[in-house]
Amino acid sequence: MPSSREKPVTDMAIGREAFGGADVASRSRVLRRMRLNDLGFRWITRGAALAVLALLGGVIVSLVVGAAPALRAFGFGFLIDESWNPVTETFGALAPIYGTVVTSLIAMAIAVPIGLLIAIFLTELCPLWLRRPIGIAIELLAGIPSIIYGIWGLFVFAPFLQRTLQPALIDLFGNVPLLAAVFEGPPYGIGILTAGLILAIMVLPFITSISRDVFEAVPPVLKEAAYGIGCTTWEVVRHVVIPYTRVGVIGGVMLGLGRALGETMAVTFVIGNAHKVPVSILAPGTTISATIANEFTEAVGDLYTASLVALGLILFVITFTVLAIARYMLMRIERRAGA
Amino acid sequence: MNPLYRRRRRRNGIAMGLATGATVLGLGWLAMILGVLLWEGSSGLSLRVFSEMTPPPGADGGLLNAVVGSVLMTTLAVLIGTPIGVLAGTYMAEYGRYERLTSVVRFINDVLLSAPSIVVGLFVYEIMVTPMGHFSGYAGAVALAVIVIPVVVRTTEDMLLLVPNQLREAAAALGMPRAYVIRRVAYRAARAGMLTGVLLAVARISGETAPLLFTALNNQFWSLNMNAPMASLPVIIFQFALSPYEDWQRLAWTGALIITIAVLGLSIFARALAASRRAA
């Protein structure tokens, strides 16, 4: 077979020219090239997958290395020390940790019930033609950058709260023992409560869209059976939908909590940046991410920088734990929906 | 009507009323934020915003250097992050679909997907800014790339898993090696979905502020040098909004409006792309 005289045929799949009646030698050459190509591609993709793991490892190692001077200097006391003094170089993480936890708790206390109620509305009450538009709107809102919420909070929401909600709270609880301390002090506008409220607005779309997704995973036959024996919509939601989706809902809530804990820009604008552990939620405070965002570029001295990195490490450990639990729970409900 | 029935009806009415009210409240609240943004932002919107540099306080100016900086860093971040993300997603969906490694990577990737972005900034500061000795546009782009990767990995894997196995089997039956099956058949079938993932990643990073604060830092002047500190729209907004100068605050609102329009436009486009693929 005189292969050299035949016209080259373009191989559609390989995209190169191959000879129709190629002799054995060139054939095996092509095959070897293909095998090498396949092997190479396999290892490149595997390398990229391992790179994702390395990324997480890199984050942890770099944070630990960066935080080492602070951890050596302060030890475990770092976690429970309220002082934050760049001049005397004594640093403690208590105020930022407290601010992070309290603002996130305020956010969840508001966003979880509202988010769940919206999800119930979307899956049970909403007319069919409205479901998709509202669902898409909520998903789009989940993508709006946090700095937008921050600038709105600073210029519109904080002055609004200063005029309305905060004086009302002070008047309302001013004479109630215990609660008076929680709502004490002048209405600054900015502060822990404001930050918590803005976080609530921010995580609302996340919680809503995840709970809607898990509510929709309930097999219709279960709900129909409950309606069939005369249950009201609320009873179906309360006794069928929620028990069936409990794990998924908790997963979604934890995911929202993870967002709230790590959120930076929306909080930095309105938290007030005071390194204190205030009893009153109207007082300015700080969070881990706000402290880093505000002070990192201005930090002078190794110990100051290392303390800020140590704060980042603490934040990463907290959010990693919360998110890991969330993903684990969502994975469980996905597996059940698949089975 | 018997009283029990009435009580159940009433309880149902209350709960459903609350659900409807929550929806109106939630959506109304979010719509109000967008409305204020549109109102405050559009008043400062003019051609000058895109043609002049960021001004010193009290002078006229625009946001040109910030917009250009954002575009440059976002582009570079996508160029770095997309190949890694696509390749990793390919391994998870194709070669290693049933491997333990894949489930581990998927779990870690999901956690990275919602990890706090300020921690990413600290990470890149430690691995790039400290060794290089100065802030730079490159560091900013790398920080954004770290955020791009998990988004692209996730969508690539999901989209490749949707490609019917018969396509792969048919191609393999023709004697195509695995790498060709993936690149010539699976990628082609999943192209629109994978592109959607990249667009969503762009939408995600174009508003990110926290990872840029101490990687790219900021720059008041015109600069295309990626090896030097670089301005970006979100960081300029942060700086201007917290300043006491009225005209800076106005520019911050305008910048916020530009970012929001860009992000919403990208997400709507990505969604339309995904929907057209499903319809076809």
Side-chain angles (χ1 to χ4, degrees):
Chain A
M1 273 197 268
S3 61
S4 53
R5 270 190 291 133
E6 273 185 24
K7 259 178 62 182
V9 182
T10 306
D11 189 312
M12 295 294 288
I14 303 166
R16 292 209 185 83
E17 286 174 352
F19 288 92
D23 53 42
V24 180
S26 79
R27 190 182 161 79
S28 75
R29 207 164 48 234
V30 168
L31 281 179
R32 198 166 54 236
R33 209 176 56 217
M34 282 179 156
R35 197 163 54 235
L36 279 178
N37 192 309
D38 192 32
L39 213 65
F41 194 60
R42 187 191 172 97
W43 280 103
I44 290 173
T45 55
R46 194 181 161 90
L50 291 171
V52 174
L53 290 186
L55 203 58
L56 181 80
V59 170
I60 295 172
V61 169
S62 73
L63 288 181
V64 169
V65 170
L71 297 180
R72 257 200 308 275
F74 304 117
F76 273 105
F78 188 67
L79 288 176
I80 48 165
D81 187 3
E82 193 187 333
S83 62
W84 187 270
N85 193 337
V87 180
T88 60
E89 295 214 309
T90 46
F91 300 101
L94 186 62
I97 292 176
Y98 172 83
T100 302
V101 172
V102 171
T103 50
S104 300
L105 287 183
I106 293 174
M108 299 320 281
I110 295 163
V112 170
I114 296 184
L116 287 181
L117 283 170
I118 297 180
I120 292 171
F121 175 82
L122 281 177
T123 49
E124 303 296 328
L125 292 176
C126 186
L128 275 176
W129 58 272
L130 248 180
R131 266 178 213 195
R132 257 181 68 80
I134 295 186
I136 290 175
I138 286 170
E139 276 163 35
L140 287 178
L141 288 167
I144 290 188
S146 56
I147 192 160
I148 308 296
Y149 293 96
I151 189 172
W152 175 80
L154 178 66
F155 288 123
V156 182
F157 197 48
F160 171 77
L161 287 179
Q162 189 175 19
R163 281 195 311 271
T164 55
L165 181 67
Q166 295 191 346
L169 285 173
I170 294 170
D171 286 347
L172 192 61
F173 297 111
N175 298 319
V176 187
L178 285 178
L179 277 180
V182 177
F183 298 102
E184 200 186 16
Y188 289 111
I190 55 174
I192 288 180
L193 177 67
T194 313
L197 289 174
I198 289 199
L199 279 179
I201 298 171
M202 270 204 66
V203 296
L204 184 60
F206 289 107
I207 294 179
T208 306
S209 65
I210 291 176
S211 7
R212 186 204 49 183
D213 288 347
V214 294
F215 284 173
E216 275 174 356
V218 177
V221 67
L222 285 183
K223 289 199 278 183
E224 283 158 14
Y227 279 122
I229 57 168
C231 287
T232 61
T233 312
W234 169 243
E235 285 161 352
V236 171
V237 170
R238 175 75 191 73
H239 298 291
V240 177
V241 174
I242 291 190
Y244 188 84
T245 55
R246 192 180 296 131
V247 183
V249 168
I250 296 174
V253 168
M254 300 282 275
L255 211 57
L257 179 62
R259 292 256 170 191
L261 287 168
E263 178 46 49
T264 310
M265 297 325 288
V267 172
T268 307
F269 276 102
V270 294
I271 188 78
N273 307 311
H275 276 279
K276 281 183 299 194
V277 180
V279 179
S280 166
I281 60 169
L282 300 182
T286 191
T287 67
I288 294 178
S289 47
T291 304
I292 301 173
N294 271 316
E295 300 180 21
F296 198 79
T297 44
E298 285 151 21
V300 280
D302 289 341
L303 203 54
Y304 195 176
T305 309
S307 302
L308 288 167
V309 178
L311 280 182
L313 180 65
I314 294 169
L315 177 66
F316 190 68
V317 171
I318 297 173
T319 47
F320 186 90
T321 316
V322 169
L323 292 170
I325 297 171
R327 290 297 175 186
Y328 175 71
M329 291 185 136
L330 287 172
M331 248 157 63
R332 261 176 61 187
I333 196 153
E334 264 167 36
R335 210 173 293 151
R336 192 165 66 182
Chain B
M1 262 200 276
N2 77 48
L4 174 64
Y5 184 57
R6 215 164 33 221
R7 203 166 63 230
R8 288 176 54 208
R9 283 281 298 266
R10 197 167 55 230
R11 195 172 287 170
N12 183 52
I14 293 171
M16 294 305 119
L18 279 177
T20 314
T23 310
V24 172
L25 181 82
L27 287 175
W29 204 254
L30 292 162
M32 201 187 74
I33 295 180
L34 289 183
V36 170
L37 178 65
L38 197 66
W39 174 256
E40 296 276 357
S42 59
S43 66
L45 204 59
S46 69
L47 213 59
R48 216 166 46 204
V49 171
F50 299 100
S51 65
E52 289 182 16
M53 305 300 135
T54 45
D60 281 338
L63 295 166
L64 179 63
N65 50 342
V67 173
V68 170
S70 273
V71 170
L72 277 179
M73 285 192 283
T74 307
T75 313
L76 186 59
V78 171
L79 288 180
I80 300 170
T82 309
I84 299 176
V86 167
L87 289 173
T90 305
Y91 185 79
M92 291 157 72
E94 300 283 343
Y95 289 114
R97 192 181 286 196
Y98 304 107
E99 280 178 20
R100 194 172 185 82
L101 174 65
T102 298
S103 35
V104 174
V105 173
R106 188 181 300 133
F107 188 77
I108 295 299
N109 189 64
D110 279 352
V111 171
L112 283 176
L113 199 59
S114 22
S117 55
I118 193 147
V119 171
V120 173
L122 285 178
F123 166 60
V124 174
Y125 178 87
E126 291 291 336
I127 62 160
M128 281 190 78
V129 179
T130 310
M132 287 166 75
H134 59 87
F135 301 101
S136 71
Y138 288 126
V142 169
L144 293 179
V146 172
I147 296 169
V148 169
I149 291 172
V151 182
V152 176
V153 168
R154 183 69 195 263
T155 39
T156 305
E157 196 206 354
D158 286 353
M159 290 304 143
L160 286 176
L161 287 177
L162 286 180
V163 174
N165 256 332
Q166 284 91 328
L167 280 183
R168 295 194 184 91
E169 284 157 9
L174 292 175
M176 271 175 127
R178 197 82 181 267
Y180 289 89
V181 174
I182 295 168
R183 291 205 300 255
R184 303 284 160 148
V185 178
Y187 276 178
R188 255 179 223 192
R191 198 163 39 188
M194 287 158 69
L195 192 58
T196 306
V198 176
L199 286 175
L200 288 177
V202 175
R204 167 92 196 269
I205 59 170
S206 49
E208 279 290 357
T209 319
L212 294 176
L213 283 174
F214 29 81
T215 51
L217 201 64
N218 199 352
N219 196 336
Q220 289 297 93
F221 306 104
W222 172 256
S223 164
L224 289 178
N225 183 5
M226 295 284 280
N227 202 21
M230 196 165 223
S232 65
L233 210 37
V235 176
I236 288 279
I237 295 175
F238 182 54
Q239 184 200 352
F240 280 15
L242 284 175
S243 77
Y245 312 110
E246 188 119 340
D247 40 356
W248 273 17
Q249 294 175 357
R250 184 134 307 283
L251 270 176
W253 274 111
T254 308
L257 180 65
I258 295 173
I259 286 188
T260 310
I261 291 175
V263 169
L264 285 182
L266 277 167
S267 342
I268 292 172
F269 181 58
R271 241 156 239 287
L273 196 73
S276 70
R277 196 192 61 95
R278 216 171 291 134

